[in-house]
Amino acid sequence: MRAADALVDILKTEGVKFVSTLPGDDILPIFDALHENGRVKLILTRHEQATVYIADGYARSTGEVGVAMVTKGPGRCNAFTAIVNAFTDCVPLVVIFGHSSRQHLAKGMLQEVPYLDTFQTMAKWTFSVPSAERIPEVFRRAFTLARSGRPGPVIIEVPQDISMAQAEIPPYFKTRRVRFGPDPDDVDKLIELLQGAKRPLIYVGRGALWSGATDALVQVAETYALPVMATLPAKGAMPEDHPLCLGLGGYPRAVYSTGQSRKFAEEADLVIALGCSFRQHATSSWLPKPAHAKLVQVDIDAAELHKNYPADLVVLSDIQLFLRALLSQGKEKLAVYRQGMAADVAAEIKELKNKWLASWNPRLTSDEVPMNPYRACWDLTHQLDAKKTILLHDAGVTRAYVSHHYEALNPLGFIGFGGTSAMGWSTPAAMGAKLGNPDKTVVNFTGDGSFGMTGMEIETAARNDIRTLTVILNNESLGASRETLHERFKGHEIGISLRGDYAGVARALGAFGERISRPQELQPALQRALAHPGPAVLEIAVKPLEPRPWRSDTGV
């Protein structure tokens, strides 16, 4: 059979629902195979960066491998930022690269540059398929690597002469994620530490979401009376309406953090970090670790252990399997030791949470015009059914405005990102999330600067009937840079001002578009947008300069 047809059969066997792509001559044989097969949808985008972002959003919202395909030359270059963004946030992707036929290599073929070498440090594996017969072997390895251990993107190059070749293709079987549990001795050591702790705390990162650990996390928290705080990418790993959930937090202190999380982190004498990388925002640029606290670090990737902070105990394990082992091994000693403590911990969290929210109330209910962005996000998100919604955010100030007070009630119901924080990610990523979760309301919050990066993909959504809602917080500037200029450079505003009628752009691209300027207009506009049968854009005029939480939070 033709190798391109075998490749499409492999994608179908792996459960791939769609391939996001933009054509080039080297990948057209695979386009033809997608047409002939008819079982894997092709999503044509307007830019290769968005091609990968759509697959990325699908992967983050489903936990499954997303698949994108890009052509050689500038196609690969355009995809670079999106692949790096997925790599730093551990997103399982298989990205198919096209390439010229091998018999013409080194002759000066159009767009012939060794691009694959450029991506080697930004992917779990890069490989060029050497023969049609090896396609099943290569893609079996690619899907296994993408989803196992620490997830990440894998890049497979398929030269045009390979995809067009006729060959005897070996059979293919679906792969699965391979994972491993902890050393029982390490779990026993943690139980001993918990028995001696007075203020223990669980700090959960994105690794818990990738392992599907929410049910086990809730059970551990309830059984052993352990409060839980989460990094921004892990928001929702613990339902945020749970009495033992502290919401956003970090250790020693995060820039995205609730008041109650900060207090518990400051007073903790034992911190159990699950799938956390201790990056800049989660540590406020690596503040010193408190001397009075012990740190236990659990991660699927050995390279993360003892990274940035020395741990008193490290455990190499899948997070869900670790939590199950802790429940099993601690059911006699630990459950009895901490019995009856959960109610007191929950009461303390509730009191601190109420006090923290009260300190924010003036901004969350402000009637000022231009609108306070916290008020805009607060009002809009409270009109959504969090159980049936997937919420995404973009880079810069928008991330802070929408994430700080929104309660994520489901795992993967809030899709946070930030390792690279590439502007423009959320609009196409929301489309991928909707393709993976057609029964959910999918909403992404972005800024006017970020929308400028990928806003043309609204046409992609309209053409493919992908019903997402994009909320643009328009402060007519690049807000994070404006804030920094005012803080560090005497308010000298240069190179940050923007203008545009983005609701009008949305309408021109085939979507619903409406601009809002007053708080009283928020609720009826949202209802009109959600009632529209296709993609919708709400453009909200907000204050040009409103500090992010860590610069203005009064705490508890």
Side-chain angles (χ1 to χ4, degrees), residues 371-384 389-404 406 413-417 422-430 441-451 454 468-474 516 522 526 530 536-540 542:
M371 213 179 308
N372 189 297
Y374 291 106
R375 166 72 188 269
C377 294
W378 177 264
D379 274 17
L380 288 179
T381 56
H382 276 72
Q383 298 301 317
L384 300 170
T389 299
I390 296 176
L391 195 70
L392 300 88
H393 65 80
D394 217 285
V397 294
T398 305
R399 169 173 47 202
Y401 297 150
V402 71
S403 67
H404 210 48
Y406 178 70
F414 179 96
I415 310 298
F417 87 126
M423 291 173 63
W425 166 83
S426 70
T427 297
T441 298
V442 178
V443 184
N444 69 289
F445 281 75
T446 187
D448 47 329
S450 292
F451 187 75
T454 56
T468 59
L469 171 60
T470 297
V471 178
I472 303 172
L473 301 179
N474 185 356
I516 305 164
L522 286 168
L526 176 63
L530 293 177
V537 172
L538 290 181
E539 178 188 354
I540 306 174
V542 297

Coordinates of all heavy atoms in Angstrom, one line a residue, residues 371-384 389-404 406 413-417 422-430 441-451 454 468-474 516 522 526 530 536-540 542:
M371 N -13.7 49.9 32.1 CA -14.0 48.8 33.0 C -12.8 48.3 33.7 O -11.7 48.2 33.1 CB -14.7 47.7 32.3 CG -15.8 46.9 33.1 SD -16.6 45.6 32.1 CE -17.1 46.5 30.7
N372 N -12.9 47.9 35.0 CA -11.9 47.2 35.7 C -11.8 45.8 35.1 O -12.8 45.1 35.1 CB -12.1 47.2 37.2 CG -11.0 46.7 38.0 OD1 -10.6 45.5 37.8 ND2 -10.4 47.5 38.8
P373 N -10.6 45.3 34.7 CA -10.6 44.0 34.1 C -10.9 42.9 35.0 O -11.4 41.8 34.6 CB -9.1 43.9 33.6 CG -8.4 44.9 34.4 CD -9.3 46.0 34.6
Y374 N -10.6 43.1 36.3 CA -11.1 42.1 37.3 C -12.6 42.0 37.4 O -13.1 40.9 37.4 CB -10.5 42.4 38.7 CG -9.0 42.3 38.8 CD1 -8.2 43.4 38.9 CD2 -8.4 41.0 38.8 CE1 -6.8 43.3 39.0 CE2 -7.0 40.9 39.0 CZ -6.2 42.0 39.0 OH -4.9 41.9 39.1
R375 N -13.3 43.1 37.3 CA -14.7 43.1 37.3 C -15.2 42.4 36.0 O -16.2 41.5 36.1 CB -15.3 44.5 37.3 CG -16.8 44.7 36.9 CD -17.7 44.1 38.1 NE -19.1 44.1 37.6 CZ -20.0 45.1 37.8 NH1 -19.6 46.2 38.4 NH2 -21.2 44.9 37.5
A376 N -14.6 42.6 34.9 CA -15.1 42.0 33.6 C -14.9 40.5 33.7 O -15.9 39.8 33.4 CB -14.3 42.6 32.5
C377 N -13.8 40.0 34.2 CA -13.6 38.6 34.3 C -14.5 37.9 35.3 O -15.0 36.8 35.1 CB -12.1 38.3 34.6 SG -11.0 38.8 33.3
W378 N -14.6 38.6 36.5 CA -15.5 38.1 37.6 C -16.9 37.9 37.1 O -17.5 36.9 37.3 CB -15.4 39.1 38.7 CG -16.2 38.7 39.9 CD1 -17.5 39.2 40.2 CD2 -15.9 37.8 41.0 NE1 -18.0 38.7 41.4 CE2 -17.0 37.9 41.9 CE3 -14.8 37.0 41.3 CZ2 -17.0 37.1 43.1 CZ3 -14.9 36.3 42.5 CH2 -15.9 36.3 43.3
D379 N -17.5 39.0 36.4 CA -18.8 38.9 36.0 C -19.1 37.8 34.9 O -20.0 37.0 35.0 CB -19.3 40.3 35.5 CG -19.8 41.2 36.6 OD1 -19.5 40.9 37.7 OD2 -20.5 42.2 36.2
L380 N -18.2 37.8 34.0 CA -18.3 36.8 32.9 C -18.2 35.4 33.3 O -19.0 34.5 33.0 CB -17.3 37.1 31.7 CG -17.6 38.4 30.9 CD1 -16.5 38.5 29.9 CD2 -19.0 38.3 30.2
T381 N -17.2 35.1 34.1 CA -17.0 33.7 34.5 C -18.0 33.2 35.5 O -18.3 32.0 35.5 CB -15.6 33.6 35.2 OG1 -15.4 34.5 36.3 CG2 -14.5 33.8 34.2
H382 N -18.7 34.2 36.2 CA -19.7 33.7 37.1 C -21.0 33.5 36.4 O -22.0 33.0 37.0 CB -19.9 34.8 38.3 CG -19.0 34.6 39.4 ND1 -17.6 34.8 39.3 CD2 -19.1 34.1 40.7 CE1 -17.0 34.5 40.5 NE2 -17.9 34.1 41.3
Q383 N -21.1 33.8 35.1 CA -22.3 33.5 34.3 C -22.1 32.1 33.6 O -23.1 31.6 33.0 CB -22.5 34.5 33.3 CG -22.8 35.9 33.8 CD -24.0 35.9 34.7 OE1 -25.1 35.3 34.4 NE2 -23.9 36.6 35.9
L384 N -20.9 31.5 33.8 CA -20.7 30.2 33.1 C -20.9 29.1 34.1 O -20.6 29.2 35.3 CB -19.2 30.2 32.6 CG -18.8 31.3 31.6 CD1 -17.3 31.3 31.4 CD2 -19.5 31.1 30.3
T389 N -17.7 23.9 31.5 CA -16.9 24.9 30.8 C -15.4 24.5 30.8 O -14.9 24.0 31.8 CB -17.1 26.3 31.4 OG1 -18.5 26.6 31.3 CG2 -16.2 27.3 30.7
I390 N -14.7 24.8 29.7 CA -13.3 24.8 29.7 C -12.8 26.2 29.4 O -13.2 26.9 28.5 CB -12.8 23.9 28.6 CG1 -13.2 22.4 28.8 CG2 -11.2 24.0 28.5 CD1 -12.8 21.5 27.7
L391 N -12.0 26.7 30.4 CA -11.6 28.1 30.3 C -10.1 28.1 30.0 O -9.3 27.4 30.7 CB -11.8 28.8 31.6 CG -11.8 30.3 31.7 CD1 -12.9 30.9 30.9 CD2 -11.8 30.8 33.1
L392 N -9.7 29.0 29.1 CA -8.2 29.1 28.7 C -7.9 30.6 28.9 O -8.7 31.5 28.8 CB -7.9 28.7 27.3 CG -8.2 27.3 26.9 CD1 -9.7 27.1 26.4 CD2 -7.3 26.8 25.8
H393 N -6.6 30.9 29.1 CA -6.1 32.2 29.2 C -4.9 32.4 28.3 O -4.3 31.5 27.9 CB -5.7 32.6 30.6 CG -4.6 31.8 31.1 ND1 -3.3 32.1 30.8 CD2 -4.5 30.7 31.9 CE1 -2.4 31.2 31.4 NE2 -3.2 30.4 32.0
D394 N -4.6 33.7 28.0 CA -3.4 33.9 27.2 C -2.3 34.5 28.1 O -2.4 34.5 29.3 CB -3.8 34.9 26.0 CG -3.0 34.5 24.8 OD1 -1.8 34.8 24.7 OD2 -3.6 33.9 23.8
A395 N -1.3 35.0 27.4 CA -0.1 35.5 28.2 C -0.4 37.0 28.7 O -1.4 37.6 28.4 CB 1.1 35.6 27.2
G396 N 0.6 37.4 29.5 CA 0.5 38.8 30.0 C -0.5 39.0 31.1 O -0.8 38.2 31.9
V397 N -1.0 40.3 31.1 CA -1.8 40.7 32.2 C -3.2 39.9 32.2 O -3.8 39.7 33.3 CB -2.1 42.2 32.2 CG1 -0.8 43.0 32.5 CG2 -2.7 42.6 30.9
T398 N -3.6 39.5 31.1 CA -4.9 38.8 31.0 C -4.9 37.5 31.8 O -5.9 37.2 32.5 CB -5.2 38.4 29.5 OG1 -5.2 39.6 28.7 CG2 -6.6 37.7 29.4
R399 N -3.8 36.8 31.8 CA -3.6 35.6 32.6 C -3.9 35.9 34.1 O -4.6 35.1 34.8 CB -2.2 35.0 32.4 CG -1.9 33.9 33.4 CD -0.5 33.3 33.0 NE 0.5 34.3 32.8 CZ 1.6 34.1 32.0 NH1 1.8 32.9 31.5 NH2 2.5 35.0 31.8
A400 N -3.4 37.0 34.6 CA -3.6 37.3 36.0 C -5.1 37.7 36.3 O -5.7 37.3 37.3 CB -2.7 38.5 36.4
Y401 N -5.6 38.5 35.4 CA -7.0 39.0 35.6 C -8.0 37.9 35.7 O -8.9 37.9 36.5 CB -7.4 40.0 34.5 CG -6.6 41.2 34.4 CD1 -6.4 41.8 33.2 CD2 -6.0 41.8 35.5 CE1 -5.6 43.0 33.0 CE2 -5.2 42.9 35.4 CZ -5.1 43.5 34.2 OH -4.3 44.7 34.1
V402 N -7.9 36.8 34.9 CA -8.9 35.8 34.8 C -8.7 34.6 35.7 O -9.6 34.0 36.2 CB -9.1 35.3 33.3 CG1 -7.9 34.5 32.9 CG2 -10.4 34.6 33.2
S403 N -7.4 34.3 36.0 CA -7.1 33.1 36.8 C -7.2 33.3 38.3 O -7.5 32.3 39.0 CB -5.7 32.6 36.4 OG -4.7 33.5 36.9
H404 N -7.1 34.5 38.8 CA -6.9 34.7 40.2 C -8.1 34.3 41.0 O -8.0 33.8 42.1 CB -6.5 36.2 40.4 CG -5.7 36.4 41.6 ND1 -4.5 35.6 41.9 CD2 -5.8 37.3 42.7 CE1 -4.0 36.1 43.0 NE2 -4.7 37.0 43.5
Y406 N -11.2 32.8 39.5 CA -12.1 31.8 38.9 C -11.9 30.5 39.6 O -10.8 30.1 39.9 CB -11.8 31.7 37.4 CG -12.6 30.6 36.7 CD1 -13.9 30.8 36.5 CD2 -12.0 29.4 36.3 CE1 -14.7 29.9 35.8 CE2 -12.8 28.5 35.7 CZ -14.1 28.7 35.4 OH -14.8 27.7 34.8
G413 N -10.6 21.5 33.3 CA -11.7 22.5 33.1 C -11.1 23.9 33.0 O -11.8 24.8 32.6
F414 N -9.9 24.1 33.4 CA -9.1 25.3 33.3 C -7.8 24.9 32.7 O -7.0 24.1 33.3 CB -8.9 26.0 34.7 CG -8.1 27.3 34.6 CD1 -8.8 28.5 34.5 CD2 -6.7 27.3 34.6 CE1 -8.1 29.7 34.5 CE2 -6.0 28.5 34.5 CZ -6.7 29.7 34.5
I415 N -7.5 25.5 31.5 CA -6.2 25.2 30.8 C -5.2 26.3 31.0 O -5.3 27.3 30.3 CB -6.5 24.8 29.4 CG1 -7.6 23.8 29.2 CG2 -5.2 24.3 28.7 CD1 -7.4 22.5 29.8
G416 N -4.3 26.2 31.9 CA -3.3 27.2 32.2 C -2.0 26.8 31.4 O -1.7 25.7 31.2
F417 N -1.3 27.9 31.1 CA 0.0 27.6 30.4 C 1.0 28.7 30.9 O 0.6 29.6 31.6 CB -0.1 27.6 28.9 CG 0.0 29.0 28.3 CD1 0.9 29.1 27.2 CD2 -0.8 30.0 28.6 CE1 1.0 30.4 26.6 CE2 -0.7 31.3 28.0 CZ 0.2 31.4 27.0
A422 N 3.8 32.0 25.3 CA 3.8 32.6 23.9 C 2.5 33.3 23.7 O 1.4 32.8 23.8 CB 4.0 31.5 22.9
M423 N 2.5 34.6 23.3 CA 1.3 35.4 23.0 C 0.6 34.8 21.8 O 1.2 34.4 20.9 CB 1.7 36.8 22.7 CG 2.2 37.6 23.9 SD 2.8 39.3 23.5 CE 1.3 40.0 22.9
G424 N -0.7 34.7 22.0 CA -1.5 34.2 20.9 C -1.9 32.8 21.0 O -2.7 32.3 20.2
W425 N -1.5 32.1 22.0 CA -1.7 30.7 22.1 C -3.2 30.3 22.3 O -3.7 29.4 21.7 CB -0.9 30.1 23.3 CG -1.3 28.8 23.8 CD1 -0.9 27.6 23.3 CD2 -2.2 28.5 24.9 NE1 -1.5 26.5 24.0 CE2 -2.3 27.1 25.0 CE3 -2.9 29.2 25.8 CZ2 -3.1 26.4 26.0 CZ3 -3.7 28.6 26.8 CH2 -3.8 27.2 26.8
S426 N -3.9 31.1 23.1 CA -5.2 30.7 23.6 C -6.3 30.6 22.5 O -7.2 29.8 22.6 CB -5.7 31.6 24.7 OG -6.0 32.9 24.3
T427 N -6.3 31.5 21.5 CA -7.4 31.5 20.5 C -7.4 30.2 19.7 O -8.4 29.5 19.6 CB -7.3 32.7 19.6 OG1 -7.4 33.9 20.4 CG2 -8.3 32.7 18.6
P428 N -6.3 29.8 19.1 CA -6.3 28.5 18.4 C -6.3 27.3 19.4 O -7.0 26.3 19.1 CB -5.0 28.5 17.6 CG -4.1 29.5 18.2 CD -5.0 30.5 18.8
A429 N -5.7 27.4 20.6 CA -5.8 26.3 21.5 C -7.2 26.0 22.0 O -7.6 24.9 22.2 CB -4.9 26.6 22.8
A430 N -8.0 27.1 22.1 CA -9.4 26.9 22.5 C -10.1 26.1 21.4 O -11.0 25.3 21.7 CB -10.1 28.3 22.7
T441 N -18.7 24.1 26.9 CA -18.5 25.5 26.5 C -17.1 25.8 26.6 O -16.5 25.7 27.7 CB -19.4 26.4 27.3 OG1 -20.8 26.1 27.2 CG2 -19.2 27.9 27.0
V442 N -16.4 26.3 25.6 CA -15.0 26.6 25.6 C -14.8 28.1 25.4 O -15.3 28.7 24.4 CB -14.2 25.9 24.5 CG1 -12.7 26.2 24.5 CG2 -14.4 24.4 24.7
V443 N -14.2 28.8 26.4 CA -14.0 30.2 26.4 C -12.5 30.5 26.7 O -11.9 29.9 27.6 CB -14.8 30.9 27.6 CG1 -14.7 32.4 27.5 CG2 -16.3 30.4 27.5
N444 N -12.0 31.4 25.8 CA -10.6 31.8 26.1 C -10.5 33.3 26.3 O -11.2 34.1 25.6 CB -9.6 31.4 24.9 CG -9.9 32.1 23.6 OD1 -10.9 31.9 23.0 ND2 -9.0 33.0 23.2
F445 N -9.8 33.7 27.3 CA -9.6 35.2 27.6 C -8.2 35.6 27.0 O -7.2 34.9 27.3 CB -9.6 35.4 29.1 CG -11.0 35.5 29.6 CD1 -11.7 34.3 29.8 CD2 -11.6 36.7 30.0 CE1 -13.0 34.3 30.3 CE2 -12.9 36.7 30.5 CZ -13.6 35.5 30.7
T446 N -8.2 36.6 26.3 CA -6.9 37.1 25.6 C -6.9 38.6 25.7 O -7.9 39.3 26.0 CB -6.8 36.5 24.2 OG1 -5.5 36.8 23.7 CG2 -7.9 37.1 23.3
G447 N -5.7 39.1 25.4 CA -5.6 40.6 25.3 C -5.6 41.0 23.8 O -5.4 40.2 22.9
D448 N -5.6 42.3 23.6 CA -5.6 42.8 22.2 C -4.3 42.6 21.6 O -4.2 42.3 20.4 CB -6.0 44.3 22.2 CG -5.2 45.2 23.2 OD1 -4.9 44.7 24.3 OD2 -5.0 46.4 22.9
G449 N -3.2 42.6 22.4 CA -1.9 42.3 21.8 C -1.8 40.8 21.4 O -1.3 40.5 20.3
S450 N -2.2 39.9 22.3 CA -2.2 38.5 21.9 C -3.1 38.1 20.8 O -2.8 37.3 19.9 CB -2.5 37.6 23.2 OG -1.5 37.7 24.2
F451 N -4.3 38.8 20.7 CA -5.2 38.5 19.7 C -4.6 38.9 18.3 O -4.9 38.2 17.3 CB -6.5 39.2 19.9 CG -7.6 38.9 18.9 CD1 -8.3 37.7 19.0 CD2 -7.9 39.8 17.8 CE1 -9.3 37.4 18.1 CE2 -8.9 39.4 16.9 CZ -9.6 38.2 17.0
T454 N -2.7 35.8 16.5 CA -3.4 34.7 15.9 C -4.9 34.9 15.6 O -5.6 34.0 15.4 CB -3.3 33.4 16.9 OG1 -3.8 33.8 18.2 CG2 -1.8 33.0 17.0
T468 N -16.3 28.4 19.6 CA -15.6 28.9 20.8 C -16.0 30.3 21.1 O -16.5 31.0 20.2 CB -14.1 28.8 20.6 OG1 -13.7 29.6 19.5 CG2 -13.6 27.4 20.4
L469 N -15.8 30.8 22.3 CA -16.0 32.2 22.7 C -14.6 32.8 23.0 O -14.0 32.3 23.9 CB -16.9 32.3 23.8 CG -17.1 33.7 24.4 CD1 -17.5 34.7 23.4 CD2 -18.0 33.7 25.6
T470 N -14.2 33.8 22.3 CA -13.0 34.5 22.6 C -13.3 35.9 23.2 O -14.1 36.7 22.7 CB -12.2 34.8 21.3 OG1 -11.8 33.5 20.7 CG2 -10.9 35.6 21.6
V471 N -12.8 36.1 24.4 CA -13.0 37.3 25.2 C -11.7 38.2 25.1 O -10.7 37.7 25.6 CB -13.4 37.1 26.6 CG1 -13.6 38.4 27.3 CG2 -14.7 36.3 26.7
I472 N -11.8 39.3 24.5 CA -10.6 40.2 24.3 C -10.7 41.3 25.3 O -11.6 42.1 25.3 CB -10.5 40.8 22.9 CG1 -10.5 39.7 21.8 CG2 -9.3 41.7 22.8 CD1 -10.6 40.2 20.4
L473 N -9.8 41.3 26.3 CA -9.7 42.5 27.2 C -8.8 43.5 26.5 O -7.6 43.4 26.5 CB -9.1 42.0 28.5 CG -9.8 40.9 29.3 CD1 -9.1 40.5 30.6 CD2 -11.3 41.3 29.6
N474 N -9.4 44.5 26.0 CA -8.8 45.5 25.2 C -8.4 46.7 26.0 O -9.2 47.6 26.4 CB -9.7 45.9 24.0 CG -8.9 46.9 23.0 OD1 -7.8 47.3 23.3 ND2 -9.6 47.2 22.0
I516 N -18.0 45.9 24.1 CA -18.6 46.2 25.4 C -17.8 47.3 26.1 O -16.5 47.1 26.1 CB -18.8 45.0 26.3 CG1 -19.5 43.9 25.6 CG2 -19.5 45.4 27.6 CD1 -19.4 42.6 26.2
L522 N -22.2 43.5 30.2 CA -21.5 42.2 30.2 C -22.5 41.0 30.1 O -22.3 40.2 29.2 CB -20.7 42.0 31.4 CG -19.4 42.9 31.5 CD1 -18.8 42.9 32.9 CD2 -18.4 42.4 30.5
L526 N -22.9 38.5 26.9 CA -22.4 37.1 27.0 C -23.5 36.1 26.5 O -23.2 35.1 25.8 CB -22.0 36.8 28.4 CG -21.6 35.3 28.7 CD1 -20.4 34.9 27.9 CD2 -21.4 35.1 30.2
L530 N -23.0 33.4 23.5 CA -23.2 32.0 23.7 C -24.3 31.4 22.9 O -24.3 30.2 22.5 CB -23.4 31.7 25.2 CG -22.2 32.0 26.1 CD1 -22.6 31.7 27.6 CD2 -21.0 31.1 25.7
A536 N -17.6 33.1 18.5 CA -18.0 34.4 18.9 C -16.8 35.1 19.5 O -16.0 34.5 20.1 CB -19.2 34.4 19.9
V537 N -16.8 36.5 19.4 CA -15.8 37.3 20.0 C -16.5 38.4 20.8 O -17.3 39.1 20.2 CB -14.9 37.9 18.9 CG1 -13.9 38.9 19.6 CG2 -14.1 36.8 18.3
L538 N -16.1 38.6 22.0 CA -16.6 39.7 22.8 C -15.3 40.6 23.1 O -14.3 40.1 23.7 CB -17.2 39.3 24.2 CG -18.5 38.6 24.1 CD1 -19.0 38.3 25.5 CD2 -19.6 39.5 23.4
E539 N -15.4 41.8 22.7 CA -14.3 42.8 22.9 C -14.7 43.7 24.0 O -15.7 44.4 23.9 CB -14.0 43.6 21.6 CG -12.9 44.6 21.8 CD -12.7 45.5 20.6 OE1 -13.4 45.2 19.5 OE2 -12.0 46.4 20.6
I540 N -13.9 43.7 25.1 CA -14.3 44.5 26.3 C -13.2 45.6 26.5 O -12.0 45.3 26.6 CB -14.3 43.6 27.5 CG1 -15.3 42.5 27.3 CG2 -14.8 44.5 28.7 CD1 -15.3 41.5 28.4
V542 N -11.2 47.9 28.6 CA -10.9 47.9 30.0 C -9.8 49.0 30.3 O -9.3 49.6 29.4 CB -10.3 46.5 30.4 CG1 -11.4 45.4 30.3 CG2 -9.0 46.2 29.7

